[in-house]
Amino acid sequence: MKVILVDDEPKAISLLQSYLDHFSELEVVASFRNGLKAFEFINQHEVDLVFLDINMPDLSGISLSRMVS
């Protein structure tokens, strides 16, 4: 299962990545600190699961989830 991480905090991305490393069925294919860049990636690549921060500058996680659903 292809996964991306979206969070404006680098430490949060690192922590989540370390948790997900324990699940061999999950492959983190990209991480983003900006919701707009994540949106561009999602439109160009097949992604099965997105871990989103809700509070981000420019584009919130809620707004991003509405754009891709």
Side-chain angles (χ1 to χ4, degrees):
M1 188 177 282
K2 294 181 180 180
V3 176
I4 66 168
L5 311 177
V6 186
D7 197 309
D8 59 324
E9 296 288 332
K11 288 184 180 182
I13 289 175
S14 294
L15 182 62
L16 191 50
Q17 174 75 56
S18 70
Y19 290 150
L20 296 176
D21 286 343
H22 296 288
F23 298 92
S24 59
E25 65 274 8
L26 299 178
E27 175 190 5
V28 177
V29 295
S31 62
F32 300 93
R33 294 182 59 200
N34 177 302
L36 295 172
K37 291 194 184 286
F39 181 69
E40 289 174 11
F41 184 88
I42 291 167
N43 282 328
Q44 297 173 0
H45 301 88
E46 185 175 326
V47 175
D48 300 303
L49 184 61
V50 178
F51 285 88
L52 275 191
D53 182 13
I54 291 174
N55 254 342
M56 292 187 297
D58 300 325
L59 183 65
S60 74
I62 302 261
S63 296
L64 177 56
S65 69
R66 288 181 180 147
M67 291 169 65
V68 297
S69 41

